[in-house]
Amino acid sequence: GCGMKAARVLLQVGITSSALTLTSSHSLKGSSPLRSIHLLRGVSRATENRFQVYGFINSVCLPQRSPVFHLCKLSGSRNVAIRQTRSFQDNVGVRFISSMSNGMTPQEKYMFDLQGFLVVRGVLSKEEVEEANRAIDNNANQFRPRIDGPLRNAKVDTPLAGDGTTPRMDMGGMLGWPLPHSLVFRKLLAHPKLVPYINELCGEGYRLDHMPLVIASEKGAEGFSLHGGTINSDGNYVPYLAYHYSHGKMYNNLLACSVQLVDHPADSGGFIVIPGSHKANFPTPKEIINGEDGMGSIVFQPETKAGDVILFSEGTVHGAAPWKMPYQRRIALYRFAPPTVAYGRAYYPTWPESYYDGLTEEQRAVLEPAYNTRLDRPLVRPTADEQLKVEHEGRSQEKKNFDKTVFGTDYF
């Protein structure tokens, strides 16, 4: 047979202008030809050249031979990874996983637009992950368990309810923790590896919309019933979670940024999503919301490592599966919005005073309230050396002076 264990194989494929270059090794072991063909079709669609993929597989799938796949470069500079993995209840599918640090490639834009989420690999270094976890350990007494019935996130006696007793735990206030514990969480407001993505998905001048929080779960803890989406239970449109595309640009009215602080292997629990649901036109059926029907066919759980980040539109239906691992699950969750959009209200009249002390110029820019970029809004932009800078694009000084004579204020 062609020799593929479809539920667990990691295929890393790269495209050049002429041919596939294959560089590092994973052996493939036997499974059915039908499952192998299904996998190959998914990979060939992702690579945009199915004949090269089929040709390569056919050339290496010989008796007593282990195929070797390697991560390769796209256009000589950007890594592309296509991960074949298993989702909730053995759903097999191919998902695009980014390993980029310098912006969104055409493939990433296509996959976010198609699926409503994207995994960005290795945003935080090993040292930054350790720093975040040390800070959480130092402030662990601030965790608040969701014990009472009204606070539970999953319906009792459903597949997402976990063992029925172990609660999820929430913690806020990280941006205001005493130094050094707040530093890594403040860095995520304008992280050099994330800014190009958030600028693309929310627009320049993006802003923090919700207070960030840390979510922790012990083994057996409940998940979270599926929620979000741009259509509510009554079938009405939800504009404040809207995703749309127009004139070459993606727009997310609320973008979630889930920072993984521990590994999330296959079937471990944690973040689950219905790919493409940000474009749905009908309400999510209740049976699917509670994990009681259809989960295996449409719900996907990305495998992630500590330091990875999942970016997803809040218009994409998502939730969490119960946590199964023997160690504590930890994520830090941020929500960002375009410069003129606001859902939360913690920023009004200002964020807590402790959030501002010691911020960099770039981080402070992300805490601005909602107003247009034309009104001297600070814009966080990446530089050629993968650092950040703040620039402004405002109206002419003559117009601003005139406005002040009309209104008596600096801005209308």
Side-chain angles (χ1 to χ4, degrees), residues 7 11 16 24 26 76 79-80 83 188 209 237 340 346 358 389 393:
L11 294 182
T16 66
S24 161
H26 287 280
N79 293 334
V80 174
R83 171 163 248 177
L188 286 162
D209 189 83
Y237 185 58
T340 58
K389 61 182 178 181
E393 291 184 359

Side-chain angles (χ1 to χ4, degrees), residues 109-317:
K109 293 177 184 178
Y110 174 79
M111 295 307 292
F112 188 95
D113 176 66
L114 179 70
Q115 299 192 136
F117 75 96
L118 185 74
V119 179
V120 186
R121 294 292 185 197
V123 171
L124 293 187
S125 66
K126 179 181 178 181
E127 293 72 23
E128 287 172 321
V129 171
E130 291 173 350
E131 181 184 350
N133 281 314
R134 281 195 302 270
I136 292 169
D137 291 340
N138 191 72
N139 292 275
N141 63 330
Q142 297 182 34
F143 272 123
R144 298 294 180 264
R146 305 179 74 95
I147 296 175
D148 297 334
L151 300 179
R152 303 286 285 189
N153 287 319
K155 184 180 177 181
V156 176
D157 296 328
T158 65
L160 298 180
D163 61 19
T165 58
T166 306
R168 190 183 97 172
M169 297 183 291
D170 295 359
M171 174 196 294
M174 306 94 69
L175 298 181
W177 284 348
L179 299 180
H181 301 305
S182 61
L183 290 177
V184 66
F185 297 103
R186 290 178 171 193
K187 187 174 183 180
L188 286 162
L189 294 172
H191 196 288
K193 293 183 180 180
L194 283 178
V195 166
Y197 289 90
I198 305 176
N199 277 348
E200 185 71 44
L201 295 170
C202 285
E204 287 191 327
Y206 73 86
R207 52 178 297 275
L208 183 70
D209 189 83
H210 289 42
M211 284 193 173
L213 77 156
V214 170
I215 296 172
S217 301
E218 301 291 351
K219 184 177 181 180
E222 66 170 346
F224 200 147
S225 298
L226 292 169
H227 57 284
T230 60
I231 305 296
N232 67 18
S233 59
D234 296 325
N236 295 317
Y237 185 58
V238 184
Y240 45 85
L241 300 182
Y243 168 86
H244 73 279
Y245 173 90
S246 179
H247 295 82
K249 178 72 177 173
M250 292 180 284
Y251 296 88
N252 293 273
N253 279 356
L254 194 58
L255 181 75
C257 175
S258 179
V259 183
Q260 314 298 289
L261 298 177
V262 298
D263 293 350
H264 290 65
D267 294 326
S268 60
F271 179 78
I272 54 177
V273 61
I274 301 180
S277 53
H278 59 317
K279 298 181 180 181
N281 293 304
F282 297 94
T284 309
K286 288 184 179 179
E287 294 79 10
I288 294 177
I289 287 175
N290 295 318
E292 298 171 305
D293 180 64
M295 295 290 285
S297 61
I298 62 173
V299 173
F300 177 70
Q301 181 217 316
E303 295 181 48
T304 57
K305 294 286 189 181
D308 294 345
V309 168
I310 304 174
L311 296 173
F312 61 96
S313 168
E314 285 283 353
T316 306
V317 177

Side-chain angles (χ1 to χ4, degrees), residues 76-98:
S77 64
R78 294 184 170 188
N79 293 334
V80 174
I82 307 294
R83 171 163 248 177
Q84 187 282 329
T85 187
R86 183 173 59 181
S87 74
F88 196 62
Q89 296 186 357
D90 293 327
N91 177 32
V92 176
V94 175
R95 296 288 180 262
F96 188 90
I97 309 292
S98 167

Side-chain angles (χ1 to χ4, degrees), residues 353-391:
E353 185 176 346
S354 61
Y355 283 20
Y356 292 96
D357 186 32
L359 287 181
T360 67
E361 183 183 15
E362 294 82 9
Q363 294 163 1
R364 185 177 289 270
V366 180
L367 296 189
E368 286 288 298
Y371 61 91
N372 198 278
T373 57
R374 294 179 65 234
L375 303 178
D376 296 328
R377 187 179 193 89
L379 309 178
V380 182
R381 290 171 170 166
T383 62
D385 58 354
E386 296 190 349
Q387 298 302 308
L388 299 174
K389 61 182 178 181
V390 173
E391 297 181 333

